[in-house]
Amino acid sequence: MEQGEAQQKRDDAMRKRRDAGRETVETSRGAESPEWVEVKDVFGYEAEDEADNWWVQWGLLRERAKGAD
């Protein structure tokens, strides 16, 4: 998406959802946004699943290690 008014509105909406503790890539109806569906189709990559997997494998270990100091 090119920079401009539409891009700014999208970014503002995503920030509001983030600040409210909601998923940033879902629509107001709770479905995935068309942009998110396109990313998954093009790259065959589910970023949220990968982030969750990283957290389970490494993030918790890292947090525990910080607390051991």
Side-chain angles (χ1 to χ4, degrees):
M1 173 180 285
E2 292 186 29
Q3 291 187 1
E5 187 176 330
Q7 175 260 333
Q8 187 63 44
K9 285 182 182 180
R10 181 207 59 197
D11 291 354
D12 290 343
M14 290 178 79
R15 285 185 190 98
K16 285 179 186 177
R17 288 191 298 265
R18 178 200 63 202
D19 293 345
R22 295 180 25 225
E23 294 291 331
T24 58
V25 293
E26 69 184 20
T27 64
S28 60
R29 296 177 305 277
E32 292 179 326
S33 69
E35 295 86 3
W36 192 244
V37 172
E38 182 180 358
V39 166
K40 290 192 311 185
D41 289 344
V42 169
F43 296 102
Y45 180 75
E46 178 67 63
E48 289 180 334
D49 285 347
E50 292 299 320
D52 289 342
N53 290 340
W54 180 90
W55 181 252
V56 168
Q57 292 177 356
W58 301 106
L60 293 173
L61 179 66
R62 180 177 165 201
E63 291 299 310
R64 286 186 200 129
K66 284 182 185 177
D69 292 343

Coordinates of all heavy atoms in Angstrom, one line a residue:
M1 N 0.8 -1.2 0.0 CA 0.0 0.0 0.0 C 0.9 1.2 0.0 O 1.8 1.3 0.8 CB -0.9 0.0 1.3 CG -1.7 1.2 1.4 SD -2.8 1.2 2.9 CE -4.0 0.1 2.4
E2 N 0.6 2.1 -0.9 CA 1.4 3.4 -1.0 C 1.0 4.3 0.2 O 0.0 4.2 0.8 CB 1.1 4.1 -2.3 CG 1.5 3.4 -3.5 CD 1.3 4.2 -4.7 OE1 1.4 5.4 -4.7 OE2 1.2 3.6 -5.8
Q3 N 2.0 5.1 0.6 CA 1.8 6.0 1.7 C 0.8 7.0 1.3 O 0.7 7.5 0.2 CB 3.1 6.7 2.1 CG 4.1 5.8 2.7 CD 5.3 6.5 3.3 OE1 5.4 7.7 3.2 NE2 6.2 5.8 3.8
G4 N -0.1 7.4 2.2 CA -1.1 8.3 1.9 C -2.2 8.2 2.9 O -2.1 7.6 4.0
E5 N -3.4 8.8 2.6 CA -4.5 8.8 3.5 C -5.0 7.4 3.9 O -5.3 7.1 5.0 CB -5.6 9.7 3.0 CG -6.7 9.9 3.9 CD -7.8 10.9 3.4 OE1 -7.5 11.7 2.5 OE2 -9.0 10.7 3.8
A6 N -5.2 6.6 2.9 CA -5.7 5.2 3.1 C -4.7 4.4 4.0 O -5.1 3.7 5.0 CB -5.9 4.5 1.8
Q7 N -3.4 4.6 3.8 CA -2.4 3.9 4.6 C -2.4 4.4 6.0 O -2.4 3.7 7.0 CB -1.0 4.1 4.0 CG 0.1 3.6 4.8 CD 0.8 4.6 5.6 OE1 0.8 5.8 5.2 NE2 1.4 4.2 6.7
Q8 N -2.6 5.7 6.2 CA -2.7 6.3 7.5 C -3.9 5.8 8.3 O -3.8 5.5 9.5 CB -2.7 7.9 7.4 CG -2.5 8.5 8.8 CD -1.2 8.2 9.5 OE1 -0.2 8.2 8.9 NE2 -1.3 7.9 10.8
K9 N -5.0 5.8 7.6 CA -6.3 5.3 8.3 C -6.1 3.8 8.7 O -6.5 3.4 9.8 CB -7.4 5.4 7.3 CG -8.0 6.8 7.2 CD -9.2 6.8 6.2 CE -9.6 8.2 6.0 NZ -10.8 8.3 5.1
R10 N -5.5 3.0 7.8 CA -5.2 1.6 8.2 C -4.3 1.5 9.4 O -4.6 0.8 10.3 CB -4.6 0.9 7.0 CG -4.3 -0.6 7.3 CD -3.2 -1.2 6.5 NE -2.0 -0.5 6.8 CZ -0.9 -0.5 6.0 NH1 -0.9 -1.2 4.9 NH2 0.2 0.1 6.3
D11 N -3.2 2.2 9.4 CA -2.3 2.2 10.5 C -2.9 2.7 11.8 O -2.7 2.1 12.9 CB -1.1 3.1 10.2 CG -0.2 2.5 9.1 OD1 -0.5 1.3 8.6 OD2 0.8 3.1 8.7
D12 N -3.7 3.7 11.7 CA -4.4 4.2 12.9 C -5.4 3.2 13.5 O -5.5 3.0 14.7 CB -5.2 5.5 12.6 CG -4.3 6.7 12.4 OD1 -3.1 6.6 12.7 OD2 -4.7 7.7 11.8
A13 N -6.1 2.5 12.6 CA -7.1 1.5 13.0 C -6.3 0.3 13.7 O -6.8 -0.2 14.7 CB -7.9 1.0 11.8
M14 N -5.2 -0.1 13.1 CA -4.4 -1.1 13.7 C -3.8 -0.7 15.1 O -3.8 -1.6 16.0 CB -3.2 -1.5 12.8 CG -3.7 -2.2 11.5 SD -2.4 -2.7 10.4 CE -1.7 -4.1 11.2
R15 N -3.4 0.5 15.2 CA -2.9 0.9 16.5 C -4.0 0.9 17.6 O -3.8 0.5 18.7 CB -2.3 2.4 16.4 CG -1.0 2.4 15.7 CD -0.4 3.8 15.7 NE 0.8 3.8 14.9 CZ 0.8 4.2 13.6 NH1 -0.3 4.7 13.0 NH2 1.9 4.2 12.9
K16 N -5.2 1.3 17.2 CA -6.4 1.3 18.1 C -6.7 -0.1 18.6 O -6.9 -0.3 19.7 CB -7.6 1.9 17.5 CG -7.5 3.4 17.4 CD -8.8 4.0 16.7 CE -8.7 5.5 16.5 NZ -9.8 6.0 15.7
R17 N -6.6 -1.0 17.6 CA -6.9 -2.4 18.0 C -5.8 -3.0 18.9 O -6.1 -3.7 19.9 CB -7.0 -3.3 16.7 CG -8.3 -3.1 16.0 CD -8.6 -4.1 14.9 NE -7.6 -4.1 13.9 CZ -7.7 -3.5 12.7 NH1 -8.8 -2.8 12.4 NH2 -6.7 -3.6 11.8
R18 N -4.6 -2.6 18.6 CA -3.4 -3.1 19.4 C -3.6 -2.5 20.8 O -3.4 -3.2 21.8 CB -2.1 -2.6 18.8 CG -0.9 -2.9 19.6 CD 0.3 -2.1 19.3 NE 0.0 -0.7 19.6 CZ 0.7 0.3 19.1 NH1 1.6 0.1 18.2 NH2 0.4 1.6 19.4
D19 N -3.9 -1.2 20.9 CA -4.0 -0.5 22.2 C -5.1 -1.1 23.0 O -5.1 -1.1 24.3 CB -4.1 1.0 22.1 CG -2.9 1.6 21.5 OD1 -1.8 1.0 21.5 OD2 -3.0 2.8 21.0
A20 N -6.1 -1.6 22.4 CA -7.3 -2.2 23.0 C -7.0 -3.7 23.4 O -7.9 -4.3 23.9 CB -8.5 -2.1 22.2
G21 N -5.9 -4.2 23.0 CA -5.5 -5.6 23.3 C -6.1 -6.6 22.4 O -6.2 -7.8 22.7
R22 N -6.5 -6.1 21.2 CA -7.1 -7.0 20.2 C -6.1 -7.3 19.1 O -5.1 -6.6 19.0 CB -8.4 -6.3 19.6 CG -9.5 -6.2 20.6 CD -10.7 -5.5 20.1 NE -11.0 -5.6 18.7 CZ -11.4 -4.6 17.9 NH1 -11.5 -3.4 18.4 NH2 -11.6 -4.8 16.6
E23 N -6.4 -8.3 18.3 CA -5.6 -8.7 17.2 C -5.6 -7.5 16.2 O -6.6 -7.0 15.9 CB -6.1 -9.9 16.5 CG -6.0 -11.2 17.3 CD -4.6 -11.6 17.6 OE1 -3.7 -11.4 16.7 OE2 -4.3 -12.2 18.6
T24 N -4.4 -7.2 15.7 CA -4.3 -6.1 14.8 C -4.6 -6.4 13.3 O -4.8 -5.6 12.5 CB -2.9 -5.5 14.8 OG1 -1.9 -6.5 14.5 CG2 -2.6 -4.9 16.1
V25 N -4.7 -7.7 13.0 CA -4.9 -8.2 11.6 C -6.3 -8.7 11.4 O -6.6 -9.3 10.4 CB -3.9 -9.2 11.2 CG1 -2.5 -8.6 11.1 CG2 -3.9 -10.4 12.1
E26 N -7.2 -8.4 12.3 CA -8.6 -8.9 12.1 C -9.5 -7.7 11.8 O -9.2 -6.5 12.1 CB -9.2 -9.6 13.3 CG -9.4 -8.7 14.5 CD -9.8 -9.5 15.7 OE1 -9.6 -10.7 15.8 OE2 -10.4 -8.9 16.6
T27 N -10.6 -7.9 11.1 CA -11.5 -6.9 10.8 C -12.4 -6.6 12.0 O -12.4 -7.3 13.0 CB -12.4 -7.2 9.6 OG1 -13.2 -8.4 10.0 CG2 -11.6 -7.6 8.4
S28 N -13.3 -5.6 11.9 CA -14.2 -5.3 13.0 C -15.2 -6.4 13.3 O -15.7 -6.5 14.4 CB -14.9 -4.0 12.7 OG -15.7 -4.1 11.5
R29 N -15.4 -7.3 12.3 CA -16.3 -8.4 12.5 C -15.5 -9.6 13.0 O -16.1 -10.7 13.2 CB -16.9 -8.8 11.2 CG -17.8 -7.7 10.6 CD -18.4 -8.0 9.2 NE -17.3 -8.3 8.3 CZ -16.6 -7.5 7.5 NH1 -16.8 -6.2 7.7 NH2 -15.7 -7.9 6.7
G30 N -14.2 -9.5 13.3 CA -13.5 -10.6 13.9 C -12.8 -11.5 12.9 O -12.1 -12.4 13.3
A31 N -13.1 -11.3 11.6 CA -12.4 -12.1 10.6 C -11.1 -11.5 10.2 O -10.7 -10.4 10.6 CB -13.3 -12.1 9.3
E32 N -10.3 -12.3 9.6 CA -8.9 -11.9 9.1 C -9.1 -10.8 8.0 O -10.0 -10.9 7.2 CB -8.1 -13.0 8.6 CG -7.7 -14.0 9.6 CD -6.9 -15.2 9.1 OE1 -7.2 -15.6 7.9 OE2 -6.0 -15.7 9.8
S33 N -8.2 -9.8 8.0 CA -8.3 -8.8 7.0 C -7.9 -9.4 5.7 O -7.1 -10.3 5.6 CB -7.4 -7.6 7.4 OG -6.1 -8.0 7.3
P34 N -8.3 -8.8 4.6 CA -7.9 -9.3 3.3 C -6.4 -9.2 3.1 O -5.8 -10.0 2.4 CB -8.6 -8.3 2.3 CG -9.7 -7.7 3.1 CD -9.3 -7.7 4.5
E35 N -5.8 -8.2 3.7 CA -4.3 -8.0 3.6 C -3.6 -9.2 4.2 O -2.6 -9.8 3.7 CB -3.8 -6.7 4.2 CG -4.3 -5.5 3.5 CD -5.6 -5.0 4.0 OE1 -6.2 -5.6 4.9 OE2 -6.1 -4.0 3.4
W36 N -4.1 -9.6 5.4 CA -3.5 -10.8 6.1 C -3.7 -12.1 5.3 O -2.8 -12.9 5.2 CB -4.1 -10.9 7.5 CG -3.4 -11.8 8.4 CD1 -3.8 -12.9 8.9 CD2 -2.0 -11.6 8.8 NE1 -2.8 -13.5 9.7 CE2 -1.7 -12.7 9.7 CE3 -1.0 -10.6 8.6 CZ2 -0.5 -12.8 10.3 CZ3 0.2 -10.8 9.3 CH2 0.4 -11.9 10.1
V37 N -4.8 -12.3 4.7 CA -5.1 -13.5 3.9 C -4.1 -13.5 2.8 O -3.6 -14.5 2.4 CB -6.6 -13.5 3.5 CG1 -6.8 -14.6 2.5 CG2 -7.5 -13.7 4.7
E38 N -3.9 -12.3 2.1 CA -3.0 -12.3 1.0 C -1.6 -12.6 1.4 O -0.9 -13.3 0.7 CB -3.1 -10.9 0.4 CG -2.2 -10.7 -0.9 CD -2.2 -9.3 -1.5 OE1 -3.0 -8.5 -1.0 OE2 -1.5 -9.1 -2.4
V39 N -1.1 -12.1 2.5 CA 0.2 -12.4 3.0 C 0.4 -13.9 3.2 O 1.4 -14.5 2.7 CB 0.6 -11.6 4.3 CG1 1.8 -12.2 4.9 CG2 0.7 -10.2 4.0
K40 N -0.6 -14.5 3.8 CA -0.5 -16.0 4.0 C -0.5 -16.7 2.7 O 0.2 -17.7 2.6 CB -1.7 -16.4 4.9 CG -1.5 -15.9 6.4 CD -2.5 -16.6 7.3 CE -3.9 -16.6 6.9 NZ -4.8 -17.2 7.9
D41 N -1.4 -16.3 1.8 CA -1.4 -17.0 0.5 C -0.1 -16.8 -0.3 O 0.4 -17.8 -0.9 CB -2.6 -16.5 -0.4 CG -3.9 -16.9 0.2 OD1 -4.0 -17.8 1.0 OD2 -4.9 -16.3 -0.2
V42 N 0.4 -15.6 -0.3 CA 1.6 -15.3 -1.1 C 2.8 -16.0 -0.5 O 3.6 -16.7 -1.2 CB 1.9 -13.8 -1.2 CG1 3.3 -13.5 -1.8 CG2 0.8 -13.2 -2.0
F43 N 3.0 -16.0 0.8 CA 4.2 -16.5 1.4 C 4.1 -17.8 2.1 O 5.0 -18.5 2.5 CB 4.7 -15.5 2.5 CG 5.1 -14.2 1.9 CD1 4.3 -13.1 2.0 CD2 6.4 -14.1 1.2 CE1 4.7 -11.9 1.4 CE2 6.7 -12.9 0.6 CZ 5.9 -11.8 0.7
G44 N 2.8 -18.3 2.2 CA 2.6 -19.6 2.8 C 3.1 -19.6 4.3 O 3.7 -20.6 4.7
Y45 N 2.9 -18.5 4.9 CA 3.5 -18.3 6.2 C 2.5 -17.7 7.2 O 1.9 -16.7 6.9 CB 4.7 -17.3 6.0 CG 5.5 -16.9 7.2 CD1 6.4 -17.8 7.8 CD2 5.3 -15.7 7.8 CE1 7.1 -17.4 8.9 CE2 6.1 -15.3 8.9 CZ 7.0 -16.2 9.5 OH 7.7 -15.8 10.6
E46 N 2.3 -18.3 8.3 CA 1.4 -17.8 9.3 C 2.3 -17.2 10.5 O 2.8 -17.9 11.4 CB 0.6 -19.0 9.9 CG -0.4 -18.6 11.0 CD -1.5 -17.7 10.5 OE1 -2.3 -18.1 9.6 OE2 -1.6 -16.6 11.0
A47 N 2.5 -15.9 10.4 CA 3.4 -15.2 11.3 C 2.9 -15.3 12.8 O 3.8 -15.5 13.6 CB 3.4 -13.7 10.9
E48 N 1.6 -15.3 13.0 CA 1.2 -15.4 14.4 C 1.5 -16.8 15.0 O 1.9 -16.9 16.1 CB -0.3 -15.1 14.5 CG -0.6 -13.6 14.3 CD -2.1 -13.4 14.4 OE1 -2.9 -14.3 14.2 OE2 -2.4 -12.2 14.8
D49 N 1.3 -17.8 14.2 CA 1.7 -19.2 14.6 C 3.2 -19.3 14.9 O 3.6 -19.9 15.8 CB 1.3 -20.2 13.6 CG -0.2 -20.5 13.6 OD1 -0.9 -20.0 14.6 OD2 -0.7 -21.1 12.7
E50 N 4.0 -18.7 14.0 CA 5.4 -18.7 14.2 C 5.9 -18.0 15.4 O 6.8 -18.4 16.1 CB 6.2 -18.2 12.9 CG 6.0 -19.1 11.7 CD 6.6 -20.5 11.9 OE1 7.7 -20.6 12.5 OE2 6.0 -21.4 11.4
A51 N 5.2 -16.8 15.7 CA 5.6 -16.1 16.9 C 5.2 -16.9 18.1 O 6.0 -16.9 19.1 CB 4.8 -14.7 16.9
D52 N 4.0 -17.5 18.1 CA 3.6 -18.4 19.2 C 4.6 -19.5 19.4 O 5.0 -19.8 20.6 CB 2.2 -18.9 19.0 CG 1.1 -17.9 19.1 OD1 1.4 -16.8 19.7 OD2 0.0 -18.2 18.7
N53 N 5.0 -20.1 18.4 CA 6.0 -21.2 18.5 C 7.3 -20.8 19.0 O 7.9 -21.4 19.9 CB 6.2 -21.9 17.1 CG 5.0 -22.7 16.6 OD1 4.2 -23.0 17.4 ND2 5.0 -22.9 15.3
W54 N 7.8 -19.6 18.6 CA 9.0 -19.1 19.1 C 8.9 -18.8 20.6 O 9.8 -19.2 21.4 CB 9.4 -17.7 18.4 CG 10.7 -17.2 19.0 CD1 12.0 -17.5 18.5 CD2 10.8 -16.3 20.1 NE1 12.9 -16.8 19.3 CE2 12.2 -16.1 20.3 CE3 9.9 -15.7 21.0 CZ2 12.7 -15.3 21.3 CZ3 10.4 -14.9 22.0 CH2 11.8 -14.7 22.2
W55 N 7.8 -18.2 21.0 CA 7.6 -17.9 22.4 C 7.6 -19.2 23.3 O 8.3 -19.2 24.3 CB 6.3 -17.2 22.7 CG 6.1 -16.8 24.1 CD1 5.2 -17.4 24.9 CD2 6.9 -15.9 24.8 NE1 5.4 -16.8 26.2 CE2 6.4 -15.9 26.2 CE3 7.9 -15.0 24.6 CZ2 6.9 -15.1 27.2 CZ3 8.4 -14.2 25.6 CH2 7.9 -14.2 26.8
V56 N 7.0 -20.2 22.8 CA 6.9 -21.5 23.6 C 8.3 -22.1 23.6 O 8.7 -22.6 24.7 CB 5.9 -22.5 22.9 CG1 6.0 -23.9 23.5 CG2 4.5 -21.9 23.1
Q57 N 9.0 -22.1 22.5 CA 10.4 -22.7 22.5 C 11.5 -21.9 23.1 O 12.3 -22.5 23.8 CB 10.8 -23.0 21.0 CG 9.9 -24.1 20.4 CD 10.3 -24.3 18.9 OE1 11.1 -23.6 18.4 NE2 9.6 -25.2 18.3
W58 N 11.4 -20.6 22.9 CA 12.6 -19.8 23.4 C 12.2 -18.7 24.3 O 13.0 -18.3 25.2 CB 13.3 -19.2 22.2 CG 13.8 -20.3 21.3 CD1 13.3 -20.6 20.1 CD2 14.9 -21.1 21.5 NE1 14.0 -21.7 19.5 CE2 15.0 -22.0 20.4 CE3 15.8 -21.3 22.5 CZ2 15.9 -23.0 20.3 CZ3 16.8 -22.3 22.4 CH2 16.8 -23.1 21.3
G59 N 11.1 -18.0 24.1 CA 10.7 -16.9 24.9 C 10.6 -17.2 26.4 O 11.1 -16.4 27.3
L60 N 9.9 -18.3 26.7 CA 9.7 -18.6 28.1 C 11.0 -19.0 28.7 O 11.3 -18.6 29.9 CB 8.7 -19.8 28.2 CG 7.3 -19.5 27.8 CD1 6.4 -20.7 27.8 CD2 6.7 -18.4 28.7
L61 N 11.9 -19.7 28.0 CA 13.2 -20.0 28.5 C 14.0 -18.8 28.8 O 14.6 -18.6 29.9 CB 13.9 -20.9 27.5 CG 15.3 -21.3 27.9 CD1 15.3 -22.3 29.1 CD2 16.0 -22.1 26.7
R62 N 13.9 -17.8 27.9 CA 14.6 -16.5 28.1 C 14.1 -15.8 29.3 O 14.9 -15.3 30.1 CB 14.5 -15.7 26.8 CG 15.1 -14.4 26.8 CD 14.9 -13.7 25.5 NE 15.3 -12.3 25.7 CZ 14.9 -11.4 24.9 NH1 14.1 -11.7 23.8 NH2 15.2 -10.1 25.0
E63 N 12.8 -15.7 29.5 CA 12.3 -15.1 30.6 C 12.7 -15.7 31.9 O 13.0 -15.1 32.9 CB 10.7 -15.0 30.5 CG 10.2 -14.1 29.4 CD 10.7 -12.6 29.6 OE1 10.4 -12.1 30.8 OE2 11.2 -12.0 28.7
R64 N 12.7 -17.1 31.9 CA 13.1 -17.8 33.2 C 14.6 -17.5 33.5 O 14.9 -17.4 34.6 CB 12.9 -19.3 33.0 CG 11.4 -19.7 33.0 CD 11.3 -21.2 33.0 NE 9.9 -21.5 32.6 CZ 9.6 -22.3 31.6 NH1 10.5 -23.0 30.9 NH2 8.4 -22.5 31.3
A65 N 15.4 -17.5 32.4 CA 16.8 -17.2 32.6 C 17.0 -15.8 33.2 O 17.9 -15.6 34.0 CB 17.6 -17.4 31.3
K66 N 16.2 -14.8 32.7 CA 16.4 -13.5 33.3 C 16.0 -13.5 34.8 O 16.7 -12.8 35.6 CB 15.4 -12.5 32.6 CG 15.8 -12.1 31.2 CD 14.8 -11.1 30.7 CE 15.0 -10.7 29.3 NZ 13.9 -9.8 28.8
G67 N 15.1 -14.3 35.2 CA 14.7 -14.3 36.6 C 15.6 -15.0 37.5 O 15.6 -14.9 38.7
A68 N 16.5 -15.8 36.9 CA 17.5 -16.6 37.7 C 18.7 -15.8 38.2 O 19.4 -16.3 39.0 CB 18.0 -17.8 36.9
D69 N 18.8 -14.5 37.7 CA 19.9 -13.7 38.1 C 19.9 -13.3 39.5 O 19.0 -13.1 40.2 CB 20.0 -12.5 37.2 CG 20.3 -12.8 35.8 OD1 20.8 -13.9 35.5 OD2 20.1 -11.9 34.9

